Amino acid sequence: MKIHEFQAKEMLRSHGIQVPKGGPATSGEEAVEVARRVGNGPWVIKAQVHAGGRGKAGGILMASSLHEVGEVSSRLLGARLATVQSGPQGHLVKKVLVEEAVQVERELYAGVVVDRSEGRAVLLLSASGGVEIETLAKERPHEIVREFLEPWGELPSFRARRACFALGLDGEVRSQVEKALRGLCSLFHEEDCTLAEINPLAITKEGVVLALDAKINLDDNALFRHPSWFQLRDPEEEDPLEVEARDYGLSYVKMDGTIGCMVNGAGLAMATMDVVLQVGARPANFLDVGGGAREEVVSRAFEILLKDPKVKVILVNIFGGITRGDVLARGIVDAASKLQVHVPIVVRLEGTNAQEGHRILEESGLRIHVAKSMVEAAKLASTLGRN
Ligand code: GDP
Ligand code: MN
């Protein structure tokens, strides 16, 4: 789950990291009010959308008078902002963040992510702030300093210091950066983040260390621990199909391929996507319909898959365990005929009562192709999807 910059900065502040004075606004007048409260200017007006790269796309603007704050904010609000991360249709700007502008001396990058191969959270620090970390990792990877967090989320001070030394930081600035890094690590852990990034972490002309930008992704699986997160959610910024799927209790992630996948079990769903890629095709989504894939659930799943105009074929991969194969097959047939599915459906069904299931599918009179194995199913879907 992504949140907005102004929300992320609120979290940073509560973990002892300094951020510029400011606040969100939804209209030009409100922006002027915030600006007046913040100081005498100049100000920075920042479009609040769930995408980075706003600076280069014209979503970060300066204003030197209150009049200009109103004007610039009104211009951004209601406009669409397309950045390198958003796709060409862009995001609708509904809020801006109005902040005091600061005079920047140096910009650093600081981020915490999960290192999957190490199975640990890692702090990344670099002297090249403002630059996208993905670009830096590709072109000049040796410029990224890495320090691991302890399993309980702490970045021990010696590691924070070592990272700062590697960047040549010293004195009062170094101790401020250290504090910010340790705060970012504890935030990452306590708030159950999948990403906590400050880019840039600025050192001002006065030697103050400030988070000028913040990007925080929260782990949806930890929602139950953080009831307050519901207020942070901005459904309009999320993929409409993903929102709909979530409301149905389906675990769905949209992707960019043409093979709509419907699978029971997250592990099998991952394996299915691997096999689809292996045969040279691309999945349109990840979809786990869960254990008891009954007709209603299958119907909902089909509906969501078919709303994606890119889907050319549906690949159903089900392992009947507790739920019997014949029940699943009937669910698929009923849902497919009720919804008048217009694309071919390939089904691989194994497990309890699979043979009975196959018979039901084959006798349905619908365009359902039964495959014997996962690879066969993926190959068939790939061929049918091309026609
Ligand atoms: P992003 O492009 O979406 O990552 O948005 P950022 O919040 O990182 O803003 C882009 C750039 O604008 C930053 O890298 C800074 O260089 C610059 N910027 C943002 N706020 C200020 C500010 O208060 N003062 C100055 N001088 N530059 C700023
Ligand atoms: Mn940034």
Side-chain angles (χ1 to χ4, degrees), residues 142-164:
H142 54 277
E143 286 182 24
I144 302 174
V145 178
R146 297 156 59 91
E147 289 289 351
F148 288 108
L149 277 63
E150 296 295 350
W152 51 93
E154 185 194 0
L155 180 72
S157 33
F158 80 92
R159 288 204 190 126
R161 194 160 309 151
R162 190 163 64 187
C164 288

Side-chain angles (χ1 to χ4, degrees), residues 1 112-114 116 188 191-196 216-221:
M1 165 181 164
V112 183
V113 289
V114 175
R116 287 174 198 284
F188 177 87
E191 298 289 345
D192 288 305
C193 301
T194 55
L195 169 80
I216 289 179
N217 295 351
L218 304 166
D219 185 349
D220 288 307
N221 296 309

